[in-house]
Amino acid sequence: MLQFIDLTKRYGKADPPALQDFSLTVEEGEFVVLLGRSGAGKSTLIRCANGLIRPTSGEVRWKGESVTRAKKEELLKLRAGMGMIFQQFQLISRLDVLTNVMVGRFHHLPLWRSLTGTFPPEVVETAREALHRVGIGHLARQRADGLSGGQQQRVAIARVLVQRPKLLLGDEPVASLDPVTADAILRLLKEIHRHEKMTTILNLHDVHMARRVATRIVGIRNGRLVFDGKPEELDESRVWDIYRPDDDCCRPFLVHESQPPVSHVLLRV
Ligand SMILES: Nc1ncnc2c1ncn2[C@@H]1O[C@H](COP(=O)(O)OP(=O)(O)OP(=O)(O)O)[C@@H](O)[C@H]1O
Ligand SMILES: [Mg+2]
């Protein structure tokens, strides 16, 4: 179970809070999609989950252990069970695909292996299996920077798979991809989730995709939770609650009868 307990995060003393009194409990095996406008606090929340960001107040607990109060060593241990994928893939560009995936196992290996790039045969085998699993086994020896965005995200997912995390965090993992590739990556994540049952939390900017993949959708607005429910409960008015501008200026245009529903409009922005 992942618990966000009364989180508030201020980056600067004078800044408005990026998260404010935010509480949420995510049960094991859920597939949660976070929705919210740009600046709503989605990335801040995701990064609080694995301790990349410390909240100003409040606490994050993973399986009962405090991520927020964990000392460096404890935090590294906790993070070993948490995988993360990013919008920009975060691969090591000059290394080949297979080596990039094996980096996912560094925390299990002695330091000298990491430094010399010498991996035990079982790690190589596991990495190859992961690459096959995400459909790019044939690219194992290609340099990471020679791949398309979709292929690079598959490498990043394979890297997470070898880590065997119990929690998968994704900060806009498909935002840099064309719609068809984005769809393929989300299907892959959904298939992995079905198989591994790892708790999954993704930020997405696409309401339609969120409804398709999530078991639960959480809406964030100005750092506060404004929606928490099943995908089928996210109707047009709730989408509007999440995305409306603070001054409500554009509502007449978005909800005019001749206009498509808000979620369709949002799909196209
Ligand atoms: N490192 C930082 N320093 C200062 N302010 C920050 C920092 N990171 C985020 N913020 C601010 O905190 C608020 C929430 O940002 P966050 O990145 O969490 O939003 P987001 O929902 O992920 O937005 P987006 O959809 O654009 O990625 C914003 O006002 C942002 O400007
Ligand atoms: Mg973000």
PDB file of all heavy atoms in Angstrom, residues 58 74 84-85 90 110-111 139 182 199 221 266:
ATOM      1  N   GLY A  58       3.926  16.539   5.893  1.00  0.00           N
ATOM      2  CA  GLY A  58       3.222  15.317   5.518  1.00  0.00           C
ATOM      3  C   GLY A  58       4.212  14.182   5.271  1.00  0.00           C
ATOM      4  O   GLY A  58       5.433  14.357   5.435  1.00  0.00           O
ATOM      5  N   GLU A  74      18.352   3.634   3.682  1.00  0.00           N
ATOM      6  CA  GLU A  74      16.986   3.068   3.709  1.00  0.00           C
ATOM      7  C   GLU A  74      16.227   3.456   2.443  1.00  0.00           C
ATOM      8  O   GLU A  74      15.504   2.647   1.860  1.00  0.00           O
ATOM      9  CB  GLU A  74      16.206   3.596   4.921  1.00  0.00           C
ATOM     10  CG  GLU A  74      16.771   3.181   6.259  1.00  0.00           C
ATOM     11  CD  GLU A  74      16.194   4.022   7.398  1.00  0.00           C
ATOM     12  OE1 GLU A  74      15.617   5.100   7.142  1.00  0.00           O
ATOM     13  OE2 GLU A  74      16.346   3.599   8.538  1.00  0.00           O
ATOM     14  N   MET A  84      10.897   3.535 -12.289  1.00  0.00           N
ATOM     15  CA  MET A  84      10.347   4.805 -12.795  1.00  0.00           C
ATOM     16  C   MET A  84      10.648   4.948 -14.277  1.00  0.00           C
ATOM     17  O   MET A  84      11.766   4.646 -14.719  1.00  0.00           O
ATOM     18  CB  MET A  84      10.937   5.975 -12.011  1.00  0.00           C
ATOM     19  CG  MET A  84      10.273   7.283 -12.378  1.00  0.00           C
ATOM     20  SD  MET A  84      10.278   8.451 -11.003  1.00  0.00           S
ATOM     21  CE  MET A  84       9.456   9.855 -11.722  1.00  0.00           C
ATOM     22  N   ILE A  85       9.662   5.399 -15.023  1.00  0.00           N
ATOM     23  CA  ILE A  85       9.887   5.727 -16.432  1.00  0.00           C
ATOM     24  C   ILE A  85       9.499   7.197 -16.650  1.00  0.00           C
ATOM     25  O   ILE A  85       8.646   7.727 -15.959  1.00  0.00           O
ATOM     26  CB  ILE A  85       9.120   4.800 -17.393  1.00  0.00           C
ATOM     27  CG1 ILE A  85       7.665   4.637 -16.976  1.00  0.00           C
ATOM     28  CG2 ILE A  85       9.794   3.448 -17.482  1.00  0.00           C
ATOM     29  CD1 ILE A  85       6.861   3.790 -17.933  1.00  0.00           C
ATOM     30  N   GLN A  90      15.428   8.730 -20.401  1.00  0.00           N
ATOM     31  CA  GLN A  90      16.591   8.699 -19.494  1.00  0.00           C
ATOM     32  C   GLN A  90      17.487   7.488 -19.728  1.00  0.00           C
ATOM     33  O   GLN A  90      17.893   6.817 -18.780  1.00  0.00           O
ATOM     34  CB  GLN A  90      16.134   8.704 -18.022  1.00  0.00           C
ATOM     35  CG  GLN A  90      15.086   9.750 -17.683  1.00  0.00           C
ATOM     36  CD  GLN A  90      15.666  11.076 -17.288  1.00  0.00           C
ATOM     37  OE1 GLN A  90      16.668  11.470 -17.854  1.00  0.00           O
ATOM     38  NE2 GLN A  90      15.074  11.766 -16.372  1.00  0.00           N
ATOM     39  N   PRO A 110      27.628  -5.946  -7.082  1.00  0.00           N
ATOM     40  CA  PRO A 110      28.731  -5.227  -6.447  1.00  0.00           C
ATOM     41  C   PRO A 110      29.164  -4.039  -7.313  1.00  0.00           C
ATOM     42  O   PRO A 110      29.028  -4.069  -8.537  1.00  0.00           O
ATOM     43  CB  PRO A 110      29.858  -6.268  -6.392  1.00  0.00           C
ATOM     44  CG  PRO A 110      29.277  -7.551  -6.802  1.00  0.00           C
ATOM     45  CD  PRO A 110      27.968  -7.306  -7.476  1.00  0.00           C
ATOM     46  N   LEU A 111      29.724  -3.026  -6.667  1.00  0.00           N
ATOM     47  CA  LEU A 111      30.075  -1.785  -7.355  1.00  0.00           C
ATOM     48  C   LEU A 111      31.048  -2.024  -8.524  1.00  0.00           C
ATOM     49  O   LEU A 111      30.907  -1.423  -9.584  1.00  0.00           O
ATOM     50  CB  LEU A 111      30.689  -0.811  -6.338  1.00  0.00           C
ATOM     51  CG  LEU A 111      31.039   0.570  -6.881  1.00  0.00           C
ATOM     52  CD1 LEU A 111      29.785   1.288  -7.368  1.00  0.00           C
ATOM     53  CD2 LEU A 111      31.733   1.407  -5.802  1.00  0.00           C
ATOM     54  N   LEU A 139      17.101  -5.599 -31.064  1.00  0.00           N
ATOM     55  CA  LEU A 139      17.858  -4.335 -31.002  1.00  0.00           C
ATOM     56  C   LEU A 139      18.920  -4.331 -29.902  1.00  0.00           C
ATOM     57  O   LEU A 139      19.538  -3.299 -29.639  1.00  0.00           O
ATOM     58  CB  LEU A 139      16.888  -3.166 -30.760  1.00  0.00           C
ATOM     59  CG  LEU A 139      15.841  -2.932 -31.842  1.00  0.00           C
ATOM     60  CD1 LEU A 139      14.906  -1.793 -31.427  1.00  0.00           C
ATOM     61  CD2 LEU A 139      16.502  -2.594 -33.178  1.00  0.00           C
ATOM     62  N   ALA A 182       2.235   6.022 -28.700  1.00  0.00           N
ATOM     63  CA  ALA A 182       1.812   6.209 -27.307  1.00  0.00           C
ATOM     64  C   ALA A 182       0.823   5.115 -26.913  1.00  0.00           C
ATOM     65  O   ALA A 182       0.921   4.516 -25.836  1.00  0.00           O
ATOM     66  CB  ALA A 182       1.172   7.586 -27.135  1.00  0.00           C
ATOM     67  N   THR A 199       1.806  -2.362  -8.538  1.00  0.00           N
ATOM     68  CA  THR A 199       1.077  -1.108  -8.359  1.00  0.00           C
ATOM     69  C   THR A 199       1.653  -0.101  -9.347  1.00  0.00           C
ATOM     70  O   THR A 199       2.880   0.054  -9.440  1.00  0.00           O
ATOM     71  CB  THR A 199       1.270  -0.600  -6.914  1.00  0.00           C
ATOM     72  OG1 THR A 199       0.963  -1.668  -6.029  1.00  0.00           O
ATOM     73  CG2 THR A 199       0.390   0.587  -6.614  1.00  0.00           C
ATOM     74  N   ARG A 221      -5.751  19.449  -8.977  1.00  0.00           N
ATOM     75  CA  ARG A 221      -5.933  20.835  -9.437  1.00  0.00           C
ATOM     76  C   ARG A 221      -5.285  21.754  -8.412  1.00  0.00           C
ATOM     77  O   ARG A 221      -5.610  21.688  -7.226  1.00  0.00           O
ATOM     78  CB  ARG A 221      -7.438  21.092  -9.536  1.00  0.00           C
ATOM     79  CG  ARG A 221      -7.786  22.446  -9.976  1.00  0.00           C
ATOM     80  CD  ARG A 221      -9.281  22.648 -10.051  1.00  0.00           C
ATOM     81  NE  ARG A 221      -9.467  24.014 -10.374  1.00  0.00           N
ATOM     82  CZ  ARG A 221      -9.330  24.526 -11.597  1.00  0.00           C
ATOM     83  NH1 ARG A 221      -9.108  23.740 -12.615  1.00  0.00           N
ATOM     84  NH2 ARG A 221      -9.443  25.808 -11.806  1.00  0.00           N
ATOM     85  N   LEU A 266      -9.955  18.209 -25.173  1.00  0.00           N
ATOM     86  CA  LEU A 266      -8.672  18.053 -24.486  1.00  0.00           C
ATOM     87  C   LEU A 266      -7.770  17.085 -25.229  1.00  0.00           C
ATOM     88  O   LEU A 266      -6.561  17.226 -25.231  1.00  0.00           O
ATOM     89  CB  LEU A 266      -8.908  17.558 -23.050  1.00  0.00           C
ATOM     90  CG  LEU A 266      -9.571  18.596 -22.161  1.00  0.00           C
ATOM     91  CD1 LEU A 266     -10.079  17.974 -20.888  1.00  0.00           C
ATOM     92  CD2 LEU A 266      -8.585  19.704 -21.836  1.00  0.00           C
TER      93      LEU A 266
END
